[in-house]
């Protein structure tokens, strides 16, 4: 909840500054009064408040899911056993998957959210485009780092080969620290940087497939 609050307050302050600056010169008494009023009583500015709430949910991957995700969630809610074991873990992974899809080069442009953000214009359209650019950068970085041995993918698909690969000290989807002689000395997991890690994994695994590793 603290992360959501931080995101909400940050977005609210940004919107308050922008709204006040449209009417008054920043730094003037009129600007300070308008800025303080929006922050002190956001309920009187519903559009600004709703945008801040939506932003906080987006940043913490807790937005309402689309029709497919909501249908799956409803199915889970109708089954008590399924509800307690799975339903609680649907919304966040679903939102993470959507965020990954929005950054996937070319395919992300086909998503309904990308089209909505582009149609909105302004900063929202710029952010949608920036996500696509970041997708290219992440995939490119993954391919390059995999080619230099800086990162590992999932390892051999064969179970026995994969076990042997792990016994050699390798860890899947990790950054490889090396000593001055270039020998691996440590593996740092990269599983805490979603939605970026998923794109990165795809890039590394693609390199492994291409090079038959």
């Amino acid at each position: 909840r603290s992360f959501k609050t931080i995101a909400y307050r940050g977005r609210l302050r940004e919107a308050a500054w922008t709204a006040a600056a449209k009417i008054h010169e920043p730094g003037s008494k009129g600007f300070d009064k308008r800025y303080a009023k929006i922050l002190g009583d956001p309920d009187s500015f519903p559009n600004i408040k709703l945008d801040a709430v939506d932003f906080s949910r987006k940043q913490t991957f807790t937005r309402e899911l689309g029709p497919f995700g909501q249908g799956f969630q409803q199915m889970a809610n109708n089954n008590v056993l399924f509800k307690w074991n799975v339903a609680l873990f649907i919304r966040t992974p679903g939102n993470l998957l959507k965020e990954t899809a929005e950054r996937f080069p070319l395919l992300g442009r086909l998503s309904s959210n990308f089209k909505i953000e582009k149609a909105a214009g302004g900063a929202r359209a710029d952010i949608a485009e920036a996500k696509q650019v970041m997708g290219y950068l992440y995939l490119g970085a993954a391919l390059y780092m995999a080619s230099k041995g800086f990162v590992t993918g999932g390892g051999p698909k064969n179970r026995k080969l994969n076990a042997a690969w792990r016994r050699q000290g390798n860890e899947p989807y990790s950054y490889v620290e090396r000593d001055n002689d270039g020998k691996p000395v440590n593996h740092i997991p990269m599983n805490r940087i979603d939605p970026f890690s998923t794109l990165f994994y795809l890039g590394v695994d693609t390199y492994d497939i291409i090079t038959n590793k």
Side-chain angles (χ1 to χ4, degrees), residues 139-157:
L139 284 177
L143 290 169
Y144 174 78
M145 293 180 73
S147 71
K148 298 299 182 181
F150 293 139
V151 292
T152 60
K157 299 300 180 285

